[in-house]
Amino acid sequence: MGYGRSDSYRVATTQDKDKKESPKKKGGKDLDDLKKEVPITEHKMSVEEVCRKYATDIVQGLTNAKAAEYLIRDGPNALTPPPTTPEWVKFCRQLFGGFSILLWIGALLCFLAYAIQAATEDEPAGDNLYLGIVLSAVVIITGCFSYFQEAKSSKIMESFKNMVPQQALVIREGEKMQINAEQVVAGDLVEVKGGDRIPADLRIVSSHGCKVDNSSLTGESEPQTRSPDGTHDNPLETRNIAFFSTNCVEGTARGIAVCTGDRTVMGRIATLTSGLETGKTPIAKEIEHFIQIITGVAVFLGVSFFILSIVLGYSWLEAVIFLIGIIVANVPEGLLATVTVCLTLTAKRMARKNCLVKNLEAVETLGSTSTICSDKTGTLTQNRMTVAHMWFDNTIHEADTTEDQSGSSFDKSSATWVSLARIAALCNRAVFKAAQDTLPILKRDVAGDASESALLKCIELSCGSVKAMREKNKKVAEIPFNSTNKYQLSIHETEEGNENSYLLVMKGAPERILDRSSHIMVQGKEQPMDEEMKEAFQNAYQELGGLGERVLGFCHVFLPEDKYPKGFAFDTDEVNFETDNLCFVGLMSMIDPPRAAVPDAVGKCRSAGIKVIMVTGDHPITAKAIAKGVGIISEGNETVEDIAARLNIPVSQVNPRDAKACVIHGTDLKDLSQDQMDDILRNHTEIVFARTSPQQKLIIVEGCQRLGAIVAVTGDGVNDSPALKKADIGVAMGISGSDVSKQAADMILLDDNFASIVTGVEEGRLIFDNLKKSIAYTLTSNIPEITPFLFFILVNIPLPLGTITILCIDLGTDMVPAISLAYEAAESDIMKRQPRNPLRDKLVNERLISIAYGQIGMIQALGGFFAYFVVLAENGFRPYDLVGIRLNWDDRSNNDLEDSYGQQWTYEQRKIVEFTCHTAFFVSIVVVQWADVIICKTRRNSVFQQGMRNKILIFGLFEETALAALLSYCPGMDVALRMYPLKPSWWFCAFPYSFLIFVYDEIRKLILRRNPGGWVERETYY
Amino acid sequence: MQAGTMDLVTLVVFGSWLAPALGSAFGREVFASAENADKDYDSAFEYDYESLRIGGLVFAVVLFVLGIVLIVTKKCSCSSDKPRPKTPDEETAVPIAQ
């Protein structure tokens, strides 16, 4: 086609042998088989052999009986839909997955404890039973919530599915018949024309200018010619095979179906995709790690107090009840709901920014991503050929390739441009489809070849209606493009007032056009073609070809009036007119240009420490040009080949370490060992993989994951789908993406805008930080909730805080503030940070636990106990007299227990005081949690730097206080929840502790900021 | 003149109603407290839980309404505030050590 395609037919589609050595999981055999080369051999056979193989006839087609027999043997010609998980399995996954397990275990332990109590005591306390029920209810409600959330996303997914049944034109027993594409069998003689979807893998037997769009299979933007001759050993590369579910863009062809359904190339990719197993999402791993830590703490506490209580002389059964009680008290009941709501909020926010997330957990994954493997065609580029450059008057002019025509324009005043535009408009068979006059030109549909459409749109944009131009210059003869001529020619009547009556225009491969030209047009004047001009042409041609663009040459001639008078009968078969000594006018080059937002997005990803790799099925030169255009290969970085060319030495002499960028061809990739592959991925920062097969894309993703990267894959074609599935997060395109790719992906960009990925990264990182804060906040109140029980066991005081009040905190007052932390703004520019290291930066680490449990939690417990002792003291029980009082206190038959002043208390009176204490303790926790939520807003900055702009958080503060007051003062609460009104002074008991927490943490953060990397940071920065 | 007498009469009538009302209220209160002090040595241990309850509930409702108002006003300024979290103020842009 052009200079830029010199190595275009070195192609890698066969699978490397290394793959077999790589460790494979279960079901590996089938997958390995699928990962291997395409088994089509028919392209190497002659038409007769193919006919014989399928017992079909080149003219008559299959007999109906034979077709029916094959249909029964092979099944319908349709892709097996990927096995869908039944709804109840999805629901159960929500109910029993990850965090829920912790709560379920807690609930079971509660029931167990209740059972023990019921069996041993006459009147067992209902606390454990209620707790168990509440825990189960929490899990079930949250499970339902997230199930419906995800169901909503998948419903949007469903709407993408293309429901239109495909039709196919087959010839059976000599008769053409339109049948449902599902009925097509191997051996059928199928006819396709422009606009059709290919119904099966076809071995072409005859064709008329047939071109197919293979972009969804190979990533090539340009339509490929299909003809009966085998041109390549590789089935994906040869011209005589057309593939299932690609589109025929123009011409007609007839072919014999050789593969149908899942056995087609497309079907194999789809099967490979659905067979792949995917790992856990990073956030799921983090939650698992968190559960381990929490369980560790709970079991440690539980067991130590179990031993302690045995030592203290409790009975075995009592000790077991204590053990269970302590373990259950460690379960943060509200956290599951908090995490789910936080993730949902982010998912919603992302959906508003056109990122649809299929799986709630995938919300965070982009934030952890350290490598993005992006497909080129349709993802980074617009997937439409556009005129990018022109060469006339001996200069290269740049055309506007932006989607919205916002770019700069070139100088259109030259007379040469007028001629060039006229040739491009006339020698062009593409036309706009009807009834699109209201649409912007670039959005209109065009019938015709991609490069002709590009020319048509370019001329329409810059010179006005092409239709009018064509009407003024009626076409009288035409020689269409063919591969031997490599040019296209047409003869038109000239406009009124021209001395000659016919104009011959020609376009085609630049070197062929040059050969036929004797003159060249400069500034509208014809000059003889000299050596200097030829060299200038060569340079321009090479330069444009080097940009990966498809270059076309244009020339024309006014046919002399004396030889070709009006009414001359042009004969295109016998060519009774001259096609030499033409006047060369210029070159135009086309490329599938990058999307406008992509370079910026790539730059942002780079500054966020994310490596962007291009993985494309397209040719290396085009791939490299686009990579340079969008910044995947940044300015000034060279590949090994560039260095070799610059220093004029062979490629083998260049030290590969000198080159930061590299372009790797699929065939080379095939020969690489795993170590070499790792080496490339590790040592080059800017990598482009070209001419890769779907299977190789998969291997590249696996390679990155092997090096510990969290990989995001973006793509739109079927060829991307195995990689999309294998990636930690697959991102598909919502508008242009194929169904298979959307099914394999975890996230869908509804507007096809690569820049939305940046949003995803930002949101993901923010929610990770904010989840940390949320968890730190929620865990802190665990300590003031557990310590009362521990002291109850250890020093035999009346129970300071009951189960119901604990639940009121965890599921009541703490909820809104914890969720509000999800709305917290970032503390610093999160897009300037490196991606988190999944091995080091955990969601919950020991430092977070130490802050929450060991420091803030302890102060909170002090505040709670202070309020408890104040309430009891005001009622006559001095703290010293409380120690050891428990057995008498809880004794129903003891109705004359004396306080420190000798006053006697009945059991009921004592209990009212005890529950007032619970309420006071509860209110104190609310008060200290005010300070906690404010300090949890930031992990490093001072609150004064961060500000209090988070209105949800302020609402949370008001709401939790209002709820606490309501619980304490609402009539009937004494019966319902056993909470009693508090004297106003008791509210203030915890205020000093609240203040202490605030000051303590501000000082900690101050030291942390002052001494970066110091002891405080190492020990307390979570 | 007529109108002036009218006013005076009204004032007197109103005043004569008001005075005993005030007086009796005063008197009753004084009387009641005196009676309590006479009778009950436990008055220091009695607490008016009824008004505490009402006060507490009013407090809760006020807070709750305040919170709701806050959220509602947030909705209005929401659209203009949106880009804010994306571009943190200079004062908060403290780089994070890697």
Side-chain angles (χ1 to χ4, degrees):
Chain A
M1 228 158 269
Y3 169 80
R5 294 281 178 272
S6 54
D7 64 348
S8 62
Y9 295 114
R10 286 200 296 142
V11 180
T13 39
T14 48
Q15 196 42 51
D16 43 319
K17 289 120 218 153
D18 308 336
K19 195 59 224 167
K20 281 186 227 148
E21 293 155 25
S22 77
K24 253 305 30 124
K25 298 138 267 170
K26 59 176 171 130
K29 200 171 176 229
D30 284 353
L31 280 186
D32 272 347
D33 183 46
L34 284 169
K35 281 186 185 177
K36 273 185 230 145
E37 66 186 280
V38 180
I40 292 177
T41 50
E42 280 81 1
H43 60 288
K44 290 186 216 159
M45 301 182 188
S46 71
V47 174
E48 289 71 32
E49 280 173 317
V50 176
C51 286
R52 220 173 300 134
K53 183 173 171 191
Y54 293 99
T56 185
D57 187 273
I58 188 85
V59 183
Q60 300 284 315
L62 284 176
T63 61
N64 279 327
K66 207 76 181 156
E69 184 195 320
Y70 284 154
L71 187 62
I72 292 166
R73 187 192 65 190
D74 298 338
N77 173 34
L79 297 184
T80 322
T84 47
T85 359
E87 290 301 304
W88 66 270
V89 173
K90 282 191 202 162
F91 185 62
C92 287
R93 229 177 258 162
Q94 294 295 347
L95 272 191
F96 300 106
F99 207 81
S100 319
I101 276 296
L102 192 63
L103 295 198
W104 278 123
I105 293 172
L108 281 182
L109 287 177
C110 285
F111 291 131
L112 181 68
Y114 180 72
I116 295 174
Q117 283 174 317
T120 53
E121 296 168 28
D122 299 333
E123 280 180 72
D127 285 9
N128 276 321
L129 182 64
Y130 303 145
L131 188 57
I133 292 170
V134 169
L135 281 177
S136 323
V138 167
V139 194
I140 291 170
I141 292 170
T142 336
C144 292
F145 179 76
S146 39
Y147 170 75
F148 284 114
Q149 271 307 318
E150 291 194 1
K152 228 193 273 171
S153 307
S154 43
K155 208 177 257 169
I156 303 176
M157 291 296 306
E158 293 291 316
S159 66
F160 287 129
K161 277 192 188 154
N162 186 5
M163 290 303 181
V164 186
Q166 296 290 326
Q167 296 285 311
L169 188 66
V170 297
I171 299 164
R172 286 184 186 165
E173 298 186 352
E175 274 177 59
K176 283 191 185 180
M177 46 206 271
Q178 191 87 26
I179 60 168
N180 201 320
E182 286 194 2
Q183 307 292 319
V184 174
V185 295
D188 257 331
L189 199 53
V190 180
E191 246 186 44
V192 288
K193 58 178 190 312
D196 284 355
R197 226 162 89 129
I198 313 275
D201 283 358
L202 302 180
R203 161 71 163 87
I204 303 293
V205 292
S206 69
S207 92
H208 289 281
C210 175
K211 283 193 174 180
V212 289
D213 174 11
N214 274 355
S215 63
S216 81
L217 190 64
T218 61
E220 291 155 305
S221 316
E222 298 163 28
Q224 310 286 310
T225 317
R226 294 290 103 156
S227 64
D229 328 305
T231 51
H232 204 278
D233 276 352
N234 187 319
L236 280 185
E237 233 6 79
T238 183
R239 293 217 178 138
N240 58 0
I241 301 274
F243 295 102
F244 174 59
S245 107
T246 56
N247 284 309
C248 176
V249 285
E250 63 174 42
T252 57
R254 195 179 269 205
I256 296 171
V258 290
C259 292
T260 57
D262 287 335
R263 288 167 302 282
T264 58
V265 174
M266 211 56 107
R268 289 169 61 87
I269 296 173
T271 319
L272 172 63
T273 307
S274 56
L276 284 174
E277 279 178 50
T278 47
K280 284 194 183 110
T281 58
I283 196 78
K285 285 182 199 152
E286 291 305 319
I287 287 181
E288 214 162 72
H289 178 247
F290 168 52
I291 291 177
Q292 281 170 6
I293 291 188
I294 282 286
T295 320
V297 172
V299 169
F300 169 75
L301 266 181
V303 170
S304 15
F305 275 82
F306 177 77
I307 296 167
L308 215 61
S309 46
I310 296 282
V311 172
L312 287 172
Y314 287 99
S315 73
W316 276 96
L317 275 178
E318 272 177 312
V320 169
I321 302 277
F322 291 158
L323 169 76
I324 292 175
I326 290 169
I327 290 177
V328 172
N330 265 294
V331 176
E333 288 91 350
L335 203 53
L336 173 64
T338 308
V339 171
T340 312
V341 171
C342 288
L343 290 178
T344 310
L345 287 172
T346 309
K348 288 227 154 123
R349 213 177 320 172
M350 283 165 83
R352 267 206 301 275
K353 293 178 185 168
N354 289 319
C355 298
L356 183 73
V357 183
K358 267 165 74 181
N359 169 5
L360 215 47
E361 284 174 353
V363 162
E364 188 275 331
T365 314
L366 265 184
S368 309
T369 297
S370 50
T371 306
I372 296 177
C373 294
S374 179
D375 177 41
K376 177 182 78 73
T377 315
T379 310
L380 300 175
T381 67
Q382 303 167 17
N383 200 11
R384 63 178 178 91
M385 289 304 269
T386 306
V387 176
H389 292 97
M390 290 164 221
W391 179 75
F392 57 82
D393 293 346
N394 206 0
T395 28
I396 290 179
H397 299 266
E398 203 167 314
D400 183 6
T401 55
T402 54
E403 284 132 294
D404 51 358
Q405 289 297 303
S406 54
S408 58
S409 191
F410 56 96
D411 174 31
K412 289 176 189 157
S413 57
S414 166
T416 320
W417 161 244
V418 178
S419 302
L420 185 61
R422 185 171 57 204
I423 304 170
L426 296 179
C427 189
N428 188 334
R429 305 211 297 176
V431 284
F432 287 112
K433 288 185 183 163
Q436 299 190 89
D437 293 340
T438 50
L439 287 175
I441 292 168
L442 287 175
K443 292 254 165 68
R444 293 187 201 167
D445 268 342
V446 178
D449 177 73
S451 36
E452 295 208 323
S453 316
L455 292 173
L456 176 69
K457 285 181 177 172
C458 172
I459 304 302
E460 182 94 9
L461 275 173
S462 47
C463 302
S465 173
V466 171
K467 208 174 161 195
M469 209 189 287
R470 287 184 188 163
E471 267 163 21
K472 271 191 238 163
N473 301 280
K474 288 229 164 53
K475 194 190 282 178
V476 290
E478 178 178 43
I479 300 176
F481 185 87
N482 68 45
S483 48
T484 37
N485 286 347
K486 297 216 162 154
Y487 67 75
Q488 176 182 352
L489 169 160
S490 60
I491 298 170
H492 298 260
E493 288 172 10
T494 52
E495 285 165 49
E496 305 287 311
N498 199 307
E499 56 187 270
N500 302 309
S501 44
Y502 292 107
L503 167 71
L504 185 152
V505 287
M506 185 193 267
K507 78 158 190 268
E511 63 277 9
R512 295 298 178 96
I513 299 294
L514 190 73
D515 289 346
R516 291 174 181 275
S517 305
S518 57
H519 290 73
I520 183 161
M521 186 180 271
V522 178
Q523 301 295 350
K525 305 244 164 25
E526 290 188 14
Q527 324 179 336
M529 179 75 83
D530 50 17
E531 281 308 311
E532 201 183 317
M533 263 317 184
K534 277 191 178 158
E535 205 181 310
F537 161 85
Q538 281 302 341
N539 288 340
Y541 184 20
Q542 286 206 1
E543 187 175 340
L544 295 178
L547 293 172
E549 297 178 1
R550 180 180 187 180
V551 190
L552 287 175
F554 295 83
C555 64
H556 72 180
V557 72
F558 284 97
L559 296 174
E561 182 76 34
D562 50 344
K563 270 201 205 161
Y564 308 96
K566 218 169 174 64
F568 184 86
F570 293 98
D571 184 350
T572 51
D573 293 328
E574 292 292 311
V575 190
N576 58 353
F577 47 90
E578 61 174 326
T579 57
D580 288 325
N581 292 326
L582 309 174
C583 171
F584 190 86
V585 179
L587 296 171
M588 285 173 106
S589 66
M590 278 143 287
I591 198 164
D592 178 13
R595 288 173 192 268
V598 170
D600 193 36
V602 170
K604 277 187 183 159
C605 288
R606 182 115 339 121
S607 66
I610 301 171
K611 190 166 164 181
V612 184
I613 297 177
M614 182 194 275
V615 183
T616 178
D618 211 341
H619 303 277
I621 292 184
T622 322
K624 192 173 159 193
I626 296 291
K628 282 193 165 160
V630 300
I632 286 180
I633 295 181
S634 47
E635 226 166 293
N637 272 353
E638 294 176 305
T639 64
V640 177
E641 291 79 14
D642 289 337
I643 295 178
R646 179 165 52 87
L647 301 175
N648 224 345
I649 51 172
V651 172
S652 52
Q653 284 181 20
V654 181
N655 180 5
R657 291 287 151 85
D658 292 344
K660 274 192 180 155
C662 69
V663 178
I664 292 163
H665 198 284
T667 36
D668 304 334
L669 186 63
K670 199 178 68 171
D671 303 327
L672 292 178
S673 72
Q674 196 163 310
D675 289 341
Q676 285 171 309
M677 177 84 176
D678 289 357
D679 211 44
I680 288 172
L681 290 173
R682 226 190 319 254
N683 293 323
H684 293 280
T685 49
E686 305 179 339
I687 312 175
V688 171
F689 290 100
R691 285 321 261 170
T692 48
S693 65
Q695 289 83 352
Q696 287 177 326
K697 291 190 177 195
L698 187 60
I699 291 165
I700 293 164
V701 172
E702 284 174 342
C704 294
Q705 286 175 330
R706 201 168 43 235
L707 295 180
I710 292 180
V711 185
V713 170
T714 63
D716 63 337
V718 175
N719 57 342
D720 303 313
S721 44
L724 285 171
K725 184 83 178 281
K726 185 72 202 174
D728 292 288
I729 179 165
V731 183
M733 298 291 151
I735 304 168
S736 60
S738 57
D739 286 351
V740 183
S741 70
K742 282 182 208 161
Q743 258 156 18
D746 303 299
M747 184 190 258
I748 288 159
L749 302 181
L750 294 175
D751 56 355
D752 281 17
N753 188 350
F754 185 80
S756 306
I757 289 183
V758 179
T759 313
V761 172
E762 210 173 343
E763 292 288 349
R765 289 186 174 187
L766 186 60
I767 196 62
F768 190 81
D769 283 2
N770 285 349
L771 272 182
K772 271 188 180 179
K773 298 173 183 173
S774 241
I775 291 175
Y777 171 77
T778 316
L779 286 186
T780 309
S781 63
N782 252 4
I783 287 299
E785 288 163 7
I786 300 170
T787 40
F789 191 56
L790 300 184
F791 279 89
F792 169 75
I793 299 170
L794 282 184
V795 290
N796 283 318
I797 52 176
L799 186 64
L801 187 68
T803 315
I804 293 171
T805 27
I806 290 178
L807 288 178
C808 285
I809 295 164
D810 281 349
L811 300 175
T813 56
D814 267 4
M815 284 301 267
V816 182
I819 291 168
S820 75
L821 286 171
Y823 287 94
E824 204 49 47
E827 281 176 67
S828 57
D829 195 346
I830 39 179
M831 291 306 280
K832 295 254 157 67
R833 230 157 58 180
Q834 291 296 305
R836 79 183 173 92
N837 179 339
L839 296 176
R840 249 182 328 151
D841 304 339
K842 291 287 182 192
L843 181 65
V844 173
N845 49 26
E846 298 71 25
R847 296 186 292 279
L848 188 148
I849 297 287
S850 132
I851 286 274
Y853 278 8
Q855 297 162 47
I856 310 298
M858 290 301 173
I859 304 177
Q860 294 195 333
L862 283 180
F865 273 104
F866 179 62
Y868 164 83
F869 285 122
V870 165
V871 172
L872 277 173
E874 286 196 11
N875 278 291
F877 292 92
R878 289 214 195 106
Y880 279 110
D881 301 321
L882 286 172
V883 177
I885 207 175
R886 183 177 74 94
L887 278 182
N888 289 327
W889 183 279
D890 287 339
D891 184 359
R892 264 169 212 282
S893 57
N894 187 346
N895 281 317
D896 51 0
L897 184 70
E898 284 186 13
D899 64 17
S900 311
Y901 300 92
Q903 183 94 11
Q904 292 187 336
W905 293 77
T906 64
Y907 179 77
E908 261 319 305
Q909 286 172 326
R910 288 199 306 267
K911 279 294 155 182
I912 289 178
V913 173
E914 185 186 325
F915 289 124
T916 310
C917 289
H918 290 186
T919 316
F921 207 113
F922 158 74
V923 164
S924 303
I925 293 181
V926 170
V927 170
V928 286
Q929 283 287 71
W930 291 343
D932 193 28
V933 74
I934 289 172
I935 62 162
C936 284
K937 275 166 68 74
T938 56
R939 296 188 295 140
R940 169 179 294 269
N941 288 350
S942 160
V943 176
F944 301 106
Q945 290 171 318
Q946 180 80 352
M948 289 291 283
R949 283 193 298 268
N950 185 347
K951 289 193 174 165
I952 307 278
L953 189 137
I954 299 172
F955 167 76
L957 286 174
F958 282 176
E959 186 269 355
E960 76 172 321
T961 316
L963 187 61
L966 190 81
L967 286 174
S968 166
Y969 295 119
C970 190
M973 279 299 166
D974 47 352
V975 185
L977 298 175
R978 305 235 65 175
M979 289 175 115
Y980 288 85
L982 292 185
K983 290 184 187 170
S985 58
W986 293 340
W987 279 74
F988 295 94
C989 296
F991 272 54
Y993 296 90
S994 201
F995 185 68
L996 175 66
I997 288 173
F998 181 75
V999 172
Y1000 174 82
D1001 207 62
E1002 276 298 317
I1003 291 174
R1004 177 184 73 87
K1005 282 187 273 202
L1006 180 72
I1007 300 173
L1008 195 148
R1009 289 194 302 272
R1010 284 286 157 84
N1011 298 315
W1015 181 82
V1016 175
E1017 173 159 353
R1018 270 181 284 122
E1019 294 303 321
T1020 67
Y1021 182 65
Y1022 55 88
Chain B
M1 194 63 196
Q2 275 288 58
T5 357
M6 205 50 198
D7 280 351
L8 199 71
V9 169
T10 325
L11 193 74
V12 169
V13 169
F14 186 67
S16 62
W17 169 80
L18 195 68
L22 271 176
S24 66
F26 250 97
R28 214 184 296 150
E29 186 133 305
V30 170
F31 176 71
S33 58
E35 197 179 48
N36 261 5
D38 277 348
K39 271 181 150 181
D40 190 1
Y41 292 99
D42 287 346
S43 66
F45 298 96
E46 293 284 308
Y47 198 83
D48 184 3
Y49 279 100
E50 207 44 48
S51 50
L52 178 66
R53 272 224 150 105
I54 293 165
L57 280 177
V58 168
F59 175 66
V61 169
V62 166
L63 272 183
F64 198 77
V65 169
L66 264 179
I68 296 287
V69 165
L70 205 89
I71 288 289
V72 173
T73 52
K74 186 207 175 265
K75 274 276 151 65
C76 304
S77 58
C78 176
S79 46
S80 59
D81 275 359
K82 259 289 154 53
R84 231 187 214 171
K86 286 184 86 180
T87 50
D89 291 358
E90 291 88 330
E91 54 172 356
T92 66
V94 171
I96 293 226
Q98 296 309 321

